[in-house]
Amino acid sequence: MKRAFTLVELLIVIMVMAILMTLVFRLSSVGESAEARAKTVMRMQRLENCLSGYYAAFGSYPPVKMHGSPNIYYKVNGSGIQQVTQDPDGSEVVWNRVEAACRCQPMGMNYPYADGLFEYVKTVSQALMELHNAGQEGYKDNPQLARLFDALENPAGLGSEKQNSADWTVTQVFRFGLMSYLLPRYLLMMRHTHSSFGNTNEKNLSLYDDFAQWSDNNQMPCRFEDGTPYSSWQSLAGETRWKVALLPSQSVTARWMPNLEGILSCEVNPGPIYGVNIESGDAFKNVTIGNPYPTLYSAEDSQSGEGGGGGQLYALDGITCYDGWGNEFYYHSPAPYQSYRLWSAGENKRTFPPWISDEEISKLNGTDRTMVLNWLSDDIVKMKN
C-alpha cells in the first residue's frame, strides 16, 4: 500500500523548491550583472582607443563644448533641459538636475532627419499626439516615440528669430557631443539621402548656412582636390559622398573607426563608415520625456515651425553609445582638453559630476551625502590624466 505525503513533507518540499528558485534567480541576476559589466568595460576600452587615436592626430582630446551648465542646482524642464535663464536653486540635490549637469558635455550627436524620413517622423508624431489627446501617460517612457522630440517642449526654437543663437537650450537643431568628434561629422550630420549627398532639398540645406548653432561649431573645409575652401555649407552638402569622405577632417576618423564596430546606437543606421558597421542593434533611447503632458504640435506644425521656422524639422536623428545597462555613457574633458573622464553610472544608473570634489561632497547634508555616495558606489570609470 502506497503511503501519501504528509502535510509536513509537502511543506518541506515546497520550501526546498522555493529556496532553489531563489538561488536560480539570484544566480541569473549575478550573471546578467556580470554580462552588463563586461559589455560596459569592453565598450569603454574601445572608446578609450578612439580617444587615444584622436589625441595622436590632434594633440588634445575632443574639445566637446558645453551644452548646458555643470551647475547641479539649475532646474530642468520636462525634456531634461536646464533652465539656465533662472537662478540656480541650491537647496537640495535632485537627480534630474544632477544628470543634466553630468551631460553638459554630451556623449551623443544629434542632427536633423533626412528628407526621405519625414513620413516616418510624421507617423510617430501623429501616434504621440493621439496618445496625448487620449490622456495616456505611458508614452513618455516609450523610446520609439520619445526619441524623436528633443525640442518637443519648444519647437518654436526653430523659428527664424532664433537662428542667430548658437545656444543648445535655445535652438535645439544639433547636438555636438563626443560622437561628433569620433565620427566623420560632415559625412553623417549633413547626409540628406541614404546613398549620396546629391539630390538634396535646398530648403533643408539652409540649416547649415542660416543657423548659428551649426556655423559656430564647424569650420568650413577645403576641397581635397585643390585646397580651395568651399563657398558655403550648401556647396559642401551638394557634393558627392565620396568627395566628402576624402576630406582630411573626415577621413582621419578611419584610423580608429574599427574600434566602434557594433557598439553604437543609431536612430537610423548610416551603413558602413569607411568599411565599418557601427550599429550595435541596441534600441536608441537618447531622449525621454519627463513631462507627461508637454506642449504638443501636429506633424504639420513641426514641418512649418512656430514663429517662421522656414520649413525645418525639429525632430532629430542621432548616434550615441550605451553601457551594458542601457544607459548613455558620460564624458568630461576640461579645457585645454589634455585629460578626460569617461564613465558609466553602473547598475544603479545614478552618478555624480567628477568635477565636484570629495571635500565638497562631504559638506552636503547627511541625507544628500549618503545618497550621492550610493550613486557613486558602482560607477565604472576610465580616466586619462
Side-chain angles (χ1 to χ4, degrees), residues 91-130:
S91 58
E92 59 181 334
V93 176
V94 182
W95 167 242
N96 64 350
R97 302 181 191 180
V98 170
E99 183 180 32
C102 286
R103 297 206 183 282
C104 63
Q105 285 180 295
M107 170 62 57
M109 58 189 284
N110 290 90
Y111 44 93
Y113 278 90
D115 288 342
L117 292 172
F118 181 63
E119 286 303 315
Y120 166 66
V121 174
K122 197 161 76 169
T123 299
V124 177
S125 174
Q126 189 60 39
L128 184 59
M129 287 286 293
E130 290 173 359

Short mmCIF file of all heavy atoms in Angstrom, two decimals, residues 91-130:
data_model
loop_
_atom_site.label_atom_id
_atom_site.label_comp_id
_atom_site.label_asym_id
_atom_site.label_seq_id
_atom_site.Cartn_x
_atom_site.Cartn_y
_atom_site.Cartn_z
N SER A 91 19.19 74.38 -2.89
CA SER A 91 18.66 73.89 -1.63
C SER A 91 18.80 72.38 -1.46
O SER A 91 18.92 71.89 -0.34
CB SER A 91 17.18 74.27 -1.50
OG SER A 91 16.43 73.74 -2.59
N GLU A 92 18.77 71.61 -2.56
CA GLU A 92 18.84 70.15 -2.42
C GLU A 92 19.41 69.52 -3.68
O GLU A 92 19.44 70.12 -4.75
CB GLU A 92 17.45 69.58 -2.14
CG GLU A 92 16.42 69.88 -3.23
CD GLU A 92 15.05 69.32 -2.92
OE1 GLU A 92 14.99 68.32 -2.19
OE2 GLU A 92 14.05 69.86 -3.42
N VAL A 93 19.85 68.27 -3.52
CA VAL A 93 20.39 67.50 -4.64
C VAL A 93 19.25 66.70 -5.26
O VAL A 93 18.65 65.85 -4.60
CB VAL A 93 21.51 66.55 -4.18
CG1 VAL A 93 22.00 65.69 -5.34
CG2 VAL A 93 22.66 67.35 -3.58
N VAL A 94 18.94 66.99 -6.52
CA VAL A 94 17.84 66.32 -7.23
C VAL A 94 18.41 65.61 -8.46
O VAL A 94 19.18 66.22 -9.21
CB VAL A 94 16.76 67.34 -7.67
CG1 VAL A 94 15.60 66.64 -8.37
CG2 VAL A 94 16.27 68.15 -6.47
N TRP A 95 18.02 64.35 -8.66
CA TRP A 95 18.67 63.55 -9.70
C TRP A 95 18.56 64.15 -11.09
O TRP A 95 19.56 64.22 -11.81
CB TRP A 95 18.13 62.13 -9.70
CG TRP A 95 18.53 61.37 -10.95
CD1 TRP A 95 17.73 60.85 -11.91
CD2 TRP A 95 19.87 61.11 -11.39
NE1 TRP A 95 18.46 60.29 -12.92
CE2 TRP A 95 19.79 60.43 -12.62
CE3 TRP A 95 21.13 61.41 -10.87
CZ2 TRP A 95 20.91 60.01 -13.34
CZ3 TRP A 95 22.26 60.99 -11.59
CH2 TRP A 95 22.14 60.30 -12.80
N ASN A 96 17.40 64.61 -11.52
CA ASN A 96 17.29 65.08 -12.91
C ASN A 96 18.16 66.31 -13.15
O ASN A 96 18.66 66.53 -14.25
CB ASN A 96 15.83 65.32 -13.31
CG ASN A 96 15.16 66.44 -12.54
OD1 ASN A 96 15.69 66.94 -11.55
ND2 ASN A 96 13.97 66.81 -12.97
N ARG A 97 18.39 67.11 -12.12
CA ARG A 97 19.28 68.26 -12.26
C ARG A 97 20.74 67.78 -12.32
O ARG A 97 21.54 68.30 -13.11
CB ARG A 97 19.10 69.23 -11.10
CG ARG A 97 17.69 69.75 -10.95
CD ARG A 97 17.60 70.73 -9.79
NE ARG A 97 16.23 71.05 -9.45
CZ ARG A 97 15.87 71.87 -8.49
NH1 ARG A 97 16.82 72.48 -7.76
NH2 ARG A 97 14.59 72.13 -8.24
N VAL A 98 21.05 66.82 -11.49
CA VAL A 98 22.41 66.26 -11.47
C VAL A 98 22.73 65.62 -12.83
O VAL A 98 23.80 65.81 -13.39
CB VAL A 98 22.56 65.22 -10.34
CG1 VAL A 98 23.87 64.46 -10.46
CG2 VAL A 98 22.48 65.91 -8.98
N GLU A 99 21.78 64.85 -13.35
CA GLU A 99 22.00 64.18 -14.63
C GLU A 99 22.23 65.21 -15.75
O GLU A 99 23.11 65.04 -16.59
CB GLU A 99 20.83 63.28 -14.99
CG GLU A 99 21.05 62.52 -16.29
CD GLU A 99 19.89 61.64 -16.66
OE1 GLU A 99 18.74 61.98 -16.34
OE2 GLU A 99 20.14 60.59 -17.28
N ALA A 100 21.43 66.27 -15.76
CA ALA A 100 21.59 67.31 -16.78
C ALA A 100 22.98 67.94 -16.70
O ALA A 100 23.62 68.21 -17.73
CB ALA A 100 20.50 68.37 -16.62
N ALA A 101 23.47 68.16 -15.48
CA ALA A 101 24.81 68.73 -15.30
C ALA A 101 25.88 67.75 -15.78
O ALA A 101 26.85 68.14 -16.44
CB ALA A 101 25.03 69.09 -13.84
N CYS A 102 25.70 66.46 -15.46
CA CYS A 102 26.67 65.44 -15.88
C CYS A 102 26.75 65.34 -17.40
O CYS A 102 27.78 64.94 -17.95
CB CYS A 102 26.30 64.08 -15.30
SG CYS A 102 26.62 63.90 -13.53
N ARG A 103 25.66 65.70 -18.08
CA ARG A 103 25.63 65.60 -19.54
C ARG A 103 25.89 66.95 -20.23
O ARG A 103 25.57 67.13 -21.39
CB ARG A 103 24.28 65.04 -20.00
CG ARG A 103 24.03 63.64 -19.49
CD ARG A 103 23.07 62.87 -20.38
NE ARG A 103 22.79 61.55 -19.85
CZ ARG A 103 23.59 60.50 -19.93
NH1 ARG A 103 24.77 60.62 -20.52
NH2 ARG A 103 23.26 59.34 -19.42
N CYS A 104 26.51 67.89 -19.50
CA CYS A 104 26.78 69.18 -20.12
C CYS A 104 27.80 69.05 -21.24
O CYS A 104 27.87 69.91 -22.12
CB CYS A 104 27.21 70.21 -19.07
SG CYS A 104 28.75 69.83 -18.22
N GLN A 105 28.61 68.01 -21.23
CA GLN A 105 29.42 67.62 -22.38
C GLN A 105 28.87 66.27 -22.83
O GLN A 105 29.28 65.22 -22.32
CB GLN A 105 30.91 67.52 -22.03
CG GLN A 105 31.59 68.87 -21.86
CD GLN A 105 33.06 68.72 -21.52
OE1 GLN A 105 33.41 68.21 -20.47
NE2 GLN A 105 33.93 69.18 -22.42
N PRO A 106 27.94 66.26 -23.76
CA PRO A 106 27.19 65.03 -24.04
C PRO A 106 27.99 63.97 -24.78
O PRO A 106 29.02 64.26 -25.41
CB PRO A 106 26.02 65.53 -24.90
CG PRO A 106 26.50 66.80 -25.51
CD PRO A 106 27.44 67.41 -24.52
N MET A 107 27.51 62.74 -24.70
CA MET A 107 28.11 61.63 -25.42
C MET A 107 27.65 61.61 -26.88
O MET A 107 28.44 61.42 -27.81
CB MET A 107 27.72 60.32 -24.72
CG MET A 107 28.06 59.04 -25.49
SD MET A 107 29.81 58.75 -25.83
CE MET A 107 30.50 58.79 -24.17
N GLY A 108 26.34 61.79 -27.11
CA GLY A 108 25.76 61.59 -28.43
C GLY A 108 25.84 62.80 -29.33
O GLY A 108 26.09 63.92 -28.89
N MET A 109 25.61 62.56 -30.63
CA MET A 109 25.46 63.62 -31.61
C MET A 109 24.04 63.54 -32.16
O MET A 109 23.47 62.46 -32.29
CB MET A 109 26.48 63.46 -32.74
CG MET A 109 26.42 62.14 -33.49
SD MET A 109 27.81 61.85 -34.64
CE MET A 109 27.35 62.91 -36.01
N ASN A 110 23.44 64.69 -32.42
CA ASN A 110 22.09 64.75 -32.98
C ASN A 110 22.05 65.76 -34.11
O ASN A 110 22.76 66.76 -34.08
CB ASN A 110 21.06 65.13 -31.91
CG ASN A 110 20.86 64.04 -30.90
OD1 ASN A 110 21.56 64.00 -29.89
ND2 ASN A 110 19.92 63.16 -31.15
N TYR A 111 21.17 65.50 -35.08
CA TYR A 111 21.09 66.32 -36.28
C TYR A 111 19.76 66.06 -36.96
O TYR A 111 19.11 65.05 -36.69
CB TYR A 111 22.26 66.01 -37.22
CG TYR A 111 22.52 64.53 -37.39
CD1 TYR A 111 21.94 63.81 -38.43
CD2 TYR A 111 23.33 63.84 -36.49
CE1 TYR A 111 22.15 62.46 -38.57
CE2 TYR A 111 23.55 62.49 -36.62
CZ TYR A 111 22.96 61.79 -37.67
OH TYR A 111 23.18 60.45 -37.80
N PRO A 112 19.33 66.95 -37.86
CA PRO A 112 18.01 66.79 -38.47
C PRO A 112 17.90 65.53 -39.33
O PRO A 112 18.88 65.07 -39.92
CB PRO A 112 17.88 68.04 -39.35
CG PRO A 112 18.82 69.02 -38.75
CD PRO A 112 19.97 68.22 -38.24
N TYR A 113 16.70 65.01 -39.40
CA TYR A 113 16.44 63.83 -40.23
C TYR A 113 16.56 64.17 -41.71
O TYR A 113 16.32 65.30 -42.13
CB TYR A 113 15.03 63.30 -39.98
CG TYR A 113 14.93 62.42 -38.77
CD1 TYR A 113 14.64 62.96 -37.53
CD2 TYR A 113 15.14 61.06 -38.86
CE1 TYR A 113 14.57 62.17 -36.40
CE2 TYR A 113 15.06 60.25 -37.75
CZ TYR A 113 14.78 60.81 -36.52
OH TYR A 113 14.71 60.01 -35.41
N ALA A 114 16.90 63.16 -42.49
CA ALA A 114 16.92 63.31 -43.94
C ALA A 114 15.51 63.52 -44.45
O ALA A 114 14.54 63.06 -43.85
CB ALA A 114 17.53 62.05 -44.58
N ASP A 115 15.40 64.22 -45.57
CA ASP A 115 14.09 64.50 -46.16
C ASP A 115 13.27 63.23 -46.36
O ASP A 115 12.07 63.20 -46.14
CB ASP A 115 14.25 65.20 -47.51
CG ASP A 115 14.72 66.63 -47.35
OD1 ASP A 115 14.57 67.16 -46.23
OD2 ASP A 115 15.23 67.20 -48.31
N GLY A 116 13.93 62.17 -46.79
CA GLY A 116 13.22 60.92 -47.09
C GLY A 116 12.59 60.26 -45.90
O GLY A 116 11.80 59.33 -46.04
N LEU A 117 12.93 60.72 -44.70
CA LEU A 117 12.40 60.11 -43.48
C LEU A 117 11.29 60.94 -42.85
O LEU A 117 10.82 60.62 -41.77
CB LEU A 117 13.52 59.90 -42.46
CG LEU A 117 14.56 58.84 -42.85
CD1 LEU A 117 15.72 58.86 -41.89
CD2 LEU A 117 13.93 57.46 -42.88
N PHE A 118 10.88 62.01 -43.51
CA PHE A 118 9.88 62.86 -42.88
C PHE A 118 8.56 62.14 -42.66
O PHE A 118 7.88 62.38 -41.67
CB PHE A 118 9.64 64.13 -43.70
CG PHE A 118 8.62 65.04 -43.05
CD1 PHE A 118 8.87 65.59 -41.81
CD2 PHE A 118 7.41 65.31 -43.66
CE1 PHE A 118 7.94 66.41 -41.19
CE2 PHE A 118 6.47 66.12 -43.05
CZ PHE A 118 6.74 66.68 -41.81
N GLU A 119 8.19 61.24 -43.56
CA GLU A 119 6.95 60.49 -43.38
C GLU A 119 7.02 59.65 -42.10
O GLU A 119 6.03 59.50 -41.38
CB GLU A 119 6.66 59.61 -44.59
CG GLU A 119 6.19 60.37 -45.81
CD GLU A 119 4.93 61.21 -45.51
OE1 GLU A 119 4.00 60.68 -44.86
OE2 GLU A 119 4.91 62.39 -45.91
N TYR A 120 8.20 59.10 -41.83
CA TYR A 120 8.39 58.34 -40.59
C TYR A 120 8.23 59.24 -39.37
O TYR A 120 7.53 58.90 -38.40
CB TYR A 120 9.78 57.71 -40.61
CG TYR A 120 10.28 57.18 -39.28
CD1 TYR A 120 9.65 56.10 -38.67
CD2 TYR A 120 11.37 57.77 -38.64
CE1 TYR A 120 10.12 55.61 -37.45
CE2 TYR A 120 11.83 57.28 -37.43
CZ TYR A 120 11.20 56.21 -36.84
OH TYR A 120 11.65 55.73 -35.64
N VAL A 121 8.85 60.40 -39.42
CA VAL A 121 8.73 61.36 -38.32
C VAL A 121 7.27 61.76 -38.13
O VAL A 121 6.76 61.84 -37.01
CB VAL A 121 9.60 62.61 -38.60
CG1 VAL A 121 9.37 63.67 -37.54
CG2 VAL A 121 11.07 62.23 -38.66
N LYS A 122 6.58 62.00 -39.23
CA LYS A 122 5.19 62.43 -39.16
C LYS A 122 4.31 61.33 -38.55
O LYS A 122 3.40 61.61 -37.76
CB LYS A 122 4.70 62.79 -40.56
CG LYS A 122 3.41 63.61 -40.57
CD LYS A 122 3.22 64.32 -41.90
CE LYS A 122 2.75 63.37 -42.97
NZ LYS A 122 2.31 64.09 -44.20
N THR A 123 4.58 60.08 -38.92
CA THR A 123 3.81 58.96 -38.39
C THR A 123 3.96 58.84 -36.88
O THR A 123 2.99 58.68 -36.14
CB THR A 123 4.25 57.64 -39.05
OG1 THR A 123 4.01 57.73 -40.45
CG2 THR A 123 3.49 56.45 -38.48
N VAL A 124 5.20 58.94 -36.41
CA VAL A 124 5.45 58.84 -34.97
C VAL A 124 4.87 60.04 -34.24
O VAL A 124 4.31 59.93 -33.15
CB VAL A 124 6.96 58.70 -34.70
CG1 VAL A 124 7.23 58.67 -33.19
CG2 VAL A 124 7.50 57.45 -35.35
N SER A 125 5.00 61.23 -34.85
CA SER A 125 4.42 62.43 -34.27
C SER A 125 2.92 62.28 -34.08
O SER A 125 2.36 62.63 -33.03
CB SER A 125 4.72 63.64 -35.16
OG SER A 125 4.07 64.80 -34.69
N GLN A 126 2.26 61.75 -35.08
CA GLN A 126 0.82 61.56 -35.01
C GLN A 126 0.45 60.57 -33.92
O GLN A 126 -0.52 60.77 -33.18
CB GLN A 126 0.27 61.08 -36.37
CG GLN A 126 -1.24 61.07 -36.45
CD GLN A 126 -1.85 62.45 -36.23
OE1 GLN A 126 -1.30 63.45 -36.70
NE2 GLN A 126 -2.95 62.52 -35.51
N ALA A 127 1.23 59.49 -33.80
CA ALA A 127 0.97 58.50 -32.75
C ALA A 127 1.09 59.13 -31.37
O ALA A 127 0.29 58.87 -30.46
CB ALA A 127 1.93 57.33 -32.89
N LEU A 128 2.11 59.97 -31.21
CA LEU A 128 2.32 60.66 -29.94
C LEU A 128 1.16 61.60 -29.64
O LEU A 128 0.67 61.68 -28.51
CB LEU A 128 3.64 61.42 -29.98
CG LEU A 128 4.09 62.13 -28.70
CD1 LEU A 128 4.23 61.14 -27.58
CD2 LEU A 128 5.39 62.85 -28.94
N MET A 129 0.71 62.32 -30.64
CA MET A 129 -0.41 63.23 -30.48
C MET A 129 -1.67 62.48 -30.03
O MET A 129 -2.38 62.91 -29.13
CB MET A 129 -0.71 63.94 -31.81
CG MET A 129 0.30 64.99 -32.22
SD MET A 129 0.16 66.50 -31.24
CE MET A 129 -1.44 67.10 -31.77
N GLU A 130 -1.93 61.34 -30.66
CA GLU A 130 -3.13 60.58 -30.34
C GLU A 130 -3.09 60.06 -28.90
O GLU A 130 -4.10 60.09 -28.19
CB GLU A 130 -3.30 59.43 -31.33
CG GLU A 130 -3.67 59.91 -32.74
CD GLU A 130 -3.67 58.79 -33.76
OE1 GLU A 130 -3.37 57.63 -33.37
OE2 GLU A 130 -3.97 59.06 -34.94
#
